[in-house]
Amino acid sequence: MDIRPEPFEPPAPIPRTVPPSRLDIIKVMFRNPLELWGAPSYSLPYIQVKFFGRLTTIANHPGLIRHVLVDNAANYAMQPIRQLVLRPILRDGLLTAEGQVWKRSRKAMAQVFTPRHARGFAGKMFRISEGFAERYDAAARTGEPVNIAVGMTELTYEILADTLFSGEIATGTEGFADRVDSLLHNMGRIDPLDLLQAPAWIPRITRIPGKRALSAFRKIVSDTMDARRARMTTEPEGVPDDFLTLLLRLEGPEGLTRDEIEDNILTFIGAGHETTARALAWTLYCVSESPHFRLLMEEEIDHVMAEGRDPVDWLEAMPHVRAAFEEALRLYPPAPLDQPGAHPRRPVDG
Ligand code: HEM
């Protein structure tokens, strides 16, 4: 007899049956972009909608997505609204670069994202997570409820600061987390004027505080780079083997310019912090509602840890843990839209 409890049905927005009005789009976009999807988005290979006066085609089928992003990428450019929001912040970082700049940077960056480097980072990530889990456990024992969304933001921030800079930040680590927070919360958001396609010269009030945060932040990143660069010259043997060192080593005609390195550091912070925190928080939420599956995961974790394997191999050795993470990503994608526009690409630069 199967004694498992009823499977947990994760909450999901009810697909729309009528297209959203312009006002709905503005309201929903800020709260939860997934609520914009109508029933056809879940069943048709692609849909065509009028999005603020512009005919927009959204590819849903994996084959069509491959057609746009991989097989015919040269025919498509990034959606203007996406670039309008993100490019002023991330400039020529990988997420917002296009054409030859993207191609050269992507190739150079492949030297950083190698399995050997991932191996080095996995150990660091594990140590930080272990320390975090102990503190979290102690906090939970006080009986106060814990907020996993906040907790995972703190954890991923700690991992980011350590894997990126080894904690060697020009202004010290004090207050850096708040600066990252302020940057992410004030910038990178779509302003209602963007949706209405107002000309770029009309100031977006929602971004004014973010602009100040951005220039202060860029200055810290730039000073941090200079300090590390100096250390790489004076004590090349002693520099930490983190993302910052790896990126600075890429500087050169075949690699990245100094500004591109700065842009990519900002990109890693912007693209790698909130996404990972959200993915982990949703995974833990789903697992907390599925005690049977949680038991399977715990047994799996105990077993693999007892074997003393290298943390970098854990994901392969823990199919249930991996499945939970992937299912949470599918149900609650932290970056739910990928947005190249269906326009002829701008002539590639360089
Ligand atoms: C669960 C966590 C993550 C999710 C869900 C996620 C999601 C995505 C998505 C959907 C894109 C494509 C975006 C677009 O083109 O519009 C993307 C690109 C990118 N992500 Fe992530 N990401 C995650 C973690 C990270 C981390 C940890 C980093 C860096 C340390 C990172 C760095 C980047 C970069 C650099 C790109 C641009 C790649 C390129 O265009 O060549 N992401 N990510």
Side-chain angles (χ1 to χ4, degrees):
M1 189 175 65
D2 188 353
I3 53 158
R4 283 181 294 184
E6 283 293 300
F8 164 57
E9 269 194 37
I14 297 166
R16 293 180 164 272
T17 46
V18 281
S21 68
R22 285 185 176 209
L23 190 65
D24 280 345
I25 294 179
I26 291 174
K27 279 197 297 200
V28 170
M29 205 69 168
F30 288 103
R31 194 178 57 230
N32 179 3
L34 293 183
E35 288 177 20
L36 281 181
W37 300 130
S41 300
Y42 294 92
S43 54
L44 298 181
Y46 71 93
I47 55 166
Q48 285 194 314
V49 288
K50 270 264 170 83
F51 191 71
F52 286 90
R54 187 192 281 265
L55 182 66
T56 305
T57 303
I58 301 174
N60 296 321
H61 189 276
L64 291 177
I65 294 171
R66 188 183 166 87
H67 174 92
V68 175
L69 292 181
V70 181
D71 298 337
N72 295 279
N75 293 343
Y76 299 91
M78 297 283 187
Q79 176 84 281
I81 194 166
R82 169 200 198 269
Q83 295 298 76
L84 192 75
V85 174
L86 293 179
R87 247 194 95 81
I89 316 168
L90 306 175
R91 298 184 191 163
D92 277 328
L94 268 187
L95 202 63
T96 37
E98 294 193 66
Q100 291 304 323
V101 176
W102 178 82
K103 245 190 182 159
R104 174 176 42 75
S105 312
R106 189 75 168 75
K107 196 168 159 213
M109 216 85 85
Q111 300 167 52
V112 171
F113 292 97
T114 59
R116 189 171 68 81
H117 292 139
R119 206 168 274 274
F121 290 133
K124 266 186 178 189
M125 290 176 189
F126 174 57
R127 278 191 298 281
I128 295 170
S129 306
E130 222 179 8
F132 179 85
E134 277 163 23
R135 294 199 305 277
Y136 212 57
D137 241 11
R141 268 199 298 272
T142 63
E144 285 294 306
V146 288
N147 181 330
I148 42 172
V150 174
M152 290 306 104
T153 304
E154 286 166 9
L155 171 63
T156 50
Y157 166 73
E158 266 187 64
I159 290 176
L160 187 81
D162 205 66
T163 49
L164 209 53
F165 304 123
S166 305
E168 293 181 0
I169 297 164
T171 46
T173 45
E174 186 82 4
F176 188 76
D178 293 338
R179 281 183 196 278
V180 173
D181 234 32
S182 145
L183 191 73
L184 294 178
H185 283 103
N186 289 311
M187 306 288 293
R189 310 256 170 230
I190 293 179
D191 187 280
L193 288 176
D194 299 326
L195 287 175
L196 297 168
Q197 294 174 22
W201 55 263
I202 300 182
R204 281 23 178 190
I205 291 171
T206 53
R207 294 213 192 102
I208 291 172
K211 278 203 168 139
R212 260 177 255 128
L214 178 64
S215 56
F217 196 77
R218 275 201 174 261
K219 167 100 175 69
I220 297 173
V221 171
S222 171
D223 291 349
T224 303
M225 285 168 64
D226 291 344
R228 178 62 63 82
R229 164 77 71 222
R231 233 186 116 180
M232 284 164 77
T233 319
T234 51
E235 47 166 326
E237 300 304 316
V239 287
D241 216 4
D242 53 17
F243 267 120
L244 180 58
T245 301
L246 292 170
L247 284 171
L248 286 171
R249 287 199 186 120
L250 295 181
E251 194 171 337
E254 298 286 302
L256 301 174
T257 64
R258 191 202 177 283
D259 284 352
E260 285 165 359
I261 295 175
E262 190 181 303
D263 296 343
N264 276 298
I265 291 175
L266 259 90
T267 299
F268 289 170
I269 294 171
H273 180 223
E274 216 172 350
T275 42
T276 323
R278 294 271 183 276
L280 288 171
W282 280 115
T283 306
L284 292 177
Y285 162 72
C286 290
V287 171
S288 73
E289 294 288 332
S290 320
H292 174 76
F293 199 80
R294 173 183 166 165
L295 211 64
L296 290 176
M297 285 171 64
E298 284 176 351
E299 280 169 11
E300 191 173 83
I301 292 168
D302 289 347
H303 178 73
V304 172
M305 302 249 325
E307 284 182 333
R309 288 205 203 188
D310 188 323
V312 83
D313 298 326
W314 285 0
L315 212 51
E316 290 311 314
M318 297 183 188
H320 287 96
V321 174
R322 187 180 185 135
F325 186 70
E326 287 180 351
E327 181 63 355
L329 271 182
R330 188 185 72 85
L331 290 167
Y332 304 108
L337 280 174
D338 205 357
Q339 308 176 323
H343 331 279
R345 197 181 244 298
R346 280 201 310 261
V348 286
D349 38 1

